[in-house]
């Protein structure tokens, strides 16, 4: 062992080649040390196979041999030499076997392309330019062209791809060589070890251009194009309104030959412009927009600045803004605008003119409301032949109103209102992300989907799958927050359950993601014992999800079945797991003496449980076992709860909608419905649907309101619901508190209180939010929503915290353009303070929304401050 651990030692044969690099067609001369006896086995090998081999006899006068270089040796080969001396009459003390390897680098000119790029050294913005492409040696090639902002490339230190170097980089030796000479008596020479560090990426580490520009980036990709041998090609490219430099990159390939080239081109003109706006704006706000004018020609003495907008904005300056130029460099002009009562993506077009010189800039800005959408409902039970004629008036800002009509042959479940709540819920932990999308998998079982609805659902599900996969940890489980170690056992099962069901319905889920999650589930399931920290319900749900995935853990199921299960919900879930396995007798025997009662939940339940959620689980189990007589009353009860004007958590809503989807899709034999509708005075429309629910968004419904007429033309009772969804005007919310208190204090950087209703532009200041738990118990899963005025900018607290400004213990913090969401827990009587540094960046009149904190799974625990208008002055 001591001898073998020496590594490179007496058995190494040192030899060399006459050149460092060879061209195809040349001959490599390999020189070995002088030896008086022995013969050598010479082999030429590459990354995957043996190319050639030969025996070479050696003497004192012959110590070299030749290796002809061929095309198959590109990009490199290894010459391996095993020199063997006679076992008897050996006249030296070297081992009878010496071994060595030397790499030969090989270049094949036929594998190289030399794209030739011709372009002007300078382009003007907002113009059409020509790019000419050729191959220096007249070879044919296929190529693409990329034109990208140098500032954007500098952000990631992006280098122009060197295709030939990449595809023909040095390869590792892939042929293994071994023998038994070390075990031959008297042949000691040490252990053969790796002699060289072979292969790997040897790309150059060029120093990239680190400059980062604040102008909008240019990214254009053209191709692929075919270029015939000896030909040239010209491409016309439109350069947008942009100032800076772009890199033109060409990469080419043809039958194993590769090449690339690049050129940096300045984009400039005598007159440039950059307008600066907040990232978002709000209704009824007003601001002064600074526009920077860049003058690079001494003949420019005056610039006329104009602004065009869409119907989201009103320009307060009726005439054009004139800027008197005092010299080369940057000049600033100002334009006053007001935001109208309309949400959506607004458009600005700035134009600066001076004689023949024109500069333009286009900017899109989201006009958003800090308020959440609210939903109002009108409901009516229609007997056969009944007519419902009602006036409907939307209540939201222009562009936010959505009116929908829901008609069902089953008791109403407020499908539209509940789905919209899940979809628009602003927080994004694993449970809430899963709840927002899970019911959409089963919408087709309840209602007839239009092509538009099908397309929207597919996009939502695919996006959710991609997002949830990013929550996965190394052990296969899913974290509660992205990128954190916070873990919740129930939400882990819940997310995996969704991925399994999505996969069954044809959506692509990475197999490794599912297999890792299943292995993690099995590991936890098999280690569970009665009375452990993991609850019976949690374990039953885990076993159920494994059964749904087709990977049941039967041993753990049997142990739990034999134990005394106190949770009625867990017993039904475990029975459903057996049902999934096809063990119907076992499933029915388990629940033969069980009832449909569920227990009340205490605060802080780790399964996010509620009475309604557990009833939905029971309905799911009953539907799976096809016990329709017991399922029907439970489904009616869940429907009544969903149609009531009550708050439910995301977990409760999702499970309720999923279970209703299964029940309606399988347990309702005849669910057809027919009715006539007249929307806003339009022509009568007859509707016949073979599903239990018809849900229709009434496009083009006027904001000022109109009538909706529904006539039941079927022979059964129908339930009609009109949902009116919209975002109300800012300033209507009031301060409130229930079990919690919230206090907001604004200070300067020295800690002195300031009045933010009037604050000077460019001022740095701090917002302090204190949240206190006044209830008699601990409150988990709190969400603090802190939304800021459009004219304020957030200094990311992760970047600016000092030693005395450490963020208190939180589960997760989500920082966005105009808001911060913070998630944490509070013990009884505990308070936590959160600070964020802000800057008053844009002069104007803005709305400061109230700060809101709530328990995400118990809406009775919340607090809200009142919003107000603030001003930033020059």
């Amino acid at each position: 062992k001591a001898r073998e651990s020496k590594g490179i030692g007496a058995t190494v044969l040192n030899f060399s080649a006459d050149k460092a690099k060879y061209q195809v067609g040349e001959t490599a001369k390999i020189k070995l040390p002088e030896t008086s006896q022995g013969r050598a086995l010479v082999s030429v090998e590459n990354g995957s196979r043996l190319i050639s081999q030969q025996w070479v006899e050696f003497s004192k006068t012959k110590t070299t041999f030749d290796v002809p270089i061929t095309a198959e040796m590109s990009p490199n080969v290894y010459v391996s030499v095993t020199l063997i001396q006679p076992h008897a009459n050996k006249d030296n003390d070297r081992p009878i076997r010496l071994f060595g390897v030397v790499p030969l680098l090989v270049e094949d000119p036929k594998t190289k392309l030399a794209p030739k790029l011709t372009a002007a050294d300078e382009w003007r913005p907002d113009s059409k330019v020509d790019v000419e492409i050729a191959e220096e040696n007249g070879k044919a090639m296929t190529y693409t062209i990329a034109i990208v902002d140098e500032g954007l490339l500098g952000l990631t230190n992006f280098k122009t791809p060197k295709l030939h170097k990449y595809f023909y980089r040095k390869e590792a030796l892939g042929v293994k060589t071994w023998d038994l000479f070390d075990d031959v008596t008297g042949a000691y020479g040490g252990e053969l070890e790796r002699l060289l560090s072979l292969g790997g990426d040897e790309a150059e580490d060029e120093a990239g251009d680190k400059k980062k520009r604040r102008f909008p980036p240019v990214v254009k990709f053209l191709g692929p194009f075919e270029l015939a041998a000896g030909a040239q090609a010209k491409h016309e490219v439109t350069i947008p309104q942009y100032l800076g430099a772009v890199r033109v990159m060409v990469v080419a390939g043809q039958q194993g030959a590769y090449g690339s080239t690049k050129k940096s081109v300045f984009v400039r003109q005598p007159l440039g412009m950059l307008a600066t706006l907040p990232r978002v704006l709000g209704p009824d706000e007003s601001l002064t927009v600074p526009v920077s004018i860049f003058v690079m020609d001494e003949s420019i003495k005056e610039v006329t600045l104009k602004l065009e907008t869409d119907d989201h904005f009103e320009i307060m300056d009726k005439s054009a803004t004139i800027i008197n130029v005092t010299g080369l460099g940057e000049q600033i002009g100002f334009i006053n605008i007001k935001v109208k009562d309309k949400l959506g993506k607004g458009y600005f077009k700035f134009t600066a003119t001076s004689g023949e010189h024109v500069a333009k800039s286009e900017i899109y800005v989201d006009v958003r409301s800090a308020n959440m959408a609210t939903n109002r409902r009108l409901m009516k039970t229609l007997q056969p032949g009944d007519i419902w004629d009602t006036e409907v008036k939307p209540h939201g800002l222009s562009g936010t109103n959505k009116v929908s009509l829901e008609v069902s042959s089953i008791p109403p479940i407020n499908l539209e209102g509940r789905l919209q709540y899940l979809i628009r819920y602003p927080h994004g932990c694993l449970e809430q992300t899963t709840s927002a999308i899970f019911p959409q998998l089963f919408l087709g079982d309840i209602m007839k989907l239009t092509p538009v609805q099908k397309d929207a659902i597919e996009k939502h599900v695919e996006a959710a799958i991609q997002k949830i996969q990013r929550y996965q940890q190394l052990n296969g489980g899913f974290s509660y927050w992205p990128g954190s170690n916070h873990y919740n056992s129930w939400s882990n099962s819940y997310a995996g359950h969704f991925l399994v069901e999505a996969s069954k319905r044809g959506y692509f889920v990475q197999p490794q993601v599912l297999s890792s999650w299943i292995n993690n589930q099995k590991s936890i399931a098999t280690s569970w014992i009665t009375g452990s920290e993991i609850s019976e319900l949690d374990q039953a749900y885990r076993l159920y999800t494994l059964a749904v995935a087709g990977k049941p853990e039967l041993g753990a199921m049997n142990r739990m079945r034999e134990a005394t299960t106190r949770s009625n919900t867990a017993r039904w879930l475990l029975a459903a797991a057996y049902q999934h396995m096809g063990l119907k007798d076992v499933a029915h025997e388990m629940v033969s003496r069980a009832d449909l009662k569920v227990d009340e939940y205490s605060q802080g339940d780790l399964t996010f449980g509620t009475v309604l959620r557990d009833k939905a689980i029971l309905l799911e189990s009953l539907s799976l076992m096809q016990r329709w007589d017991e399922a029907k009353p439970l489904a009616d009860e869940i429907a009544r709860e969903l149609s009531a004007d009550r708050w439910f958590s995301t977990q409760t809503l999702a499970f309720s909608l999923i279970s209703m989807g299964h029940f309606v899709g399988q347990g309702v034999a005849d669910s057809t419905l027919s009715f006539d509708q007249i929307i806003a005075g339009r022509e009568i429309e007859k509707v016949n649907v073979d599903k239990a629910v018809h849900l229709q968004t009434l496009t083009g419904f006027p904001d000022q309101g109109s009538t909706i007429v529904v006539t039941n033309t079927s022979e059964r009772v129908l339930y009609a619901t009109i949902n009116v969804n919209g975002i109300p005007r800012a300033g209507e919310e009031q301060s409130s508190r229930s079990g919690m208190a919230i206090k907001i204090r604004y200070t300067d950087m020295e800690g002195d209180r300031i009045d933010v209703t009037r604050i000077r532009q460019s001022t740095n200041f701090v917002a302090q939010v204190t949240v206190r738990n006044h209830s008699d118990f601990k409150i988990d899963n709190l969400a603090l929503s802190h939304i800021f005025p459009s004219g304020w900018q957030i200094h990311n607290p992760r970047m600016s915290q000092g030693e005395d400004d450490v963020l208190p213990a939180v589960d997760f913090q989500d920082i966005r353009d105009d808001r911060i969401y913070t998630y944490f827990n509070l013990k009884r009587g505990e308070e936590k303070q959160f600070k964020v540094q802000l800057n008053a960046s844009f002069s104007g009149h803005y709305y400061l929304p109230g700060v809101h904190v709530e328990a995400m799974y118990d809406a009775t625990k919340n607090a809200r401050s009142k919003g107000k208008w603030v001003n930033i002055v020059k």
Side-chain angles (χ1 to χ4, degrees), residues 33-39 56-64:
E34 290 186 6
T35 181
S36 60
Q37 55 185 346
R39 61 201 303 250
V56 178
E57 299 289 342
F58 286 97
S59 65
K60 290 184 177 180
T61 59
K62 184 181 179 183
T63 59
T64 64

Side-chain angles (χ1 to χ4, degrees), residues 14-30:
N14 294 311
F15 63 98
S16 60
D18 61 334
K19 293 173 63 176
K21 186 178 292 186
Y22 297 89
Q23 299 285 329
V24 172
E26 295 181 342
T27 300
K29 292 187 177 297
I30 308 300

Side-chain angles (χ1 to χ4, degrees), residues 314-350:
E314 177 184 356
I315 304 171
M316 307 305 291
D317 304 309
K318 302 304 180 184
S319 58
T321 301
I322 306 299
I323 301 174
N324 293 315
V325 179
T326 57
L328 298 181
E330 183 178 2
Q331 313 283 326
I332 299 182
F334 299 94
I335 300 178
N336 296 308
I337 65 168
K338 181 177 175 59
V339 187
K340 297 181 180 179
D341 287 345
K342 183 176 182 180
L343 303 189
K345 190 173 287 295
Y347 168 76
F348 292 90
K349 181 179 180 181
F350 298 88

Side-chain angles (χ1 to χ4, degrees), residues 495-508:
H497 187 190
F498 160 73
L499 293 179
V500 169
E501 293 287 5
S503 179
K504 286 183 176 183
R505 290 177 178 255
Y507 293 94
F508 175 72

Side-chain angles (χ1 to χ4, degrees), residues 565-582:
T565 304
R566 293 183 297 272
S567 169
N568 204 37
T569 309
R571 178 178 293 275
W572 280 96
L573 256 182
L574 186 59
Y578 280 107
Q579 182 79 17
H580 257 293
M581 292 179 60

Side-chain angles (χ1 to χ4, degrees), residues 65 85 91 188 276 323 363 387 433 531 553 586 628 851 858:
F65 62 90
Q85 299 188 86
D91 60 3
Y188 164 67
T276 307
I323 301 174
I363 300 177
I387 300 174
T433 300
E553 188 57 50
V586 177
W628 306 120
V851 184
D858 182 4

Side-chain angles (χ1 to χ4, degrees), residues 30 79 94 144 209 228 369 389 557:
I30 308 300
V79 177
R94 299 297 303 276
T144 60
D209 182 4
S369 173
D389 186 344
M557 292 170 63

Side-chain angles (χ1 to χ4, degrees), residues 728-748:
R729 184 184 300 273
E732 295 182 0
E733 76 275 15
Q734 298 293 322
S735 61
S736 61
R737 54 186 290 181
S738 175
M740 304 183 67
I742 192 168
K743 182 172 64 176
I744 302 94
R745 184 171 182 261
Y746 297 95
T747 70
D748 59 22

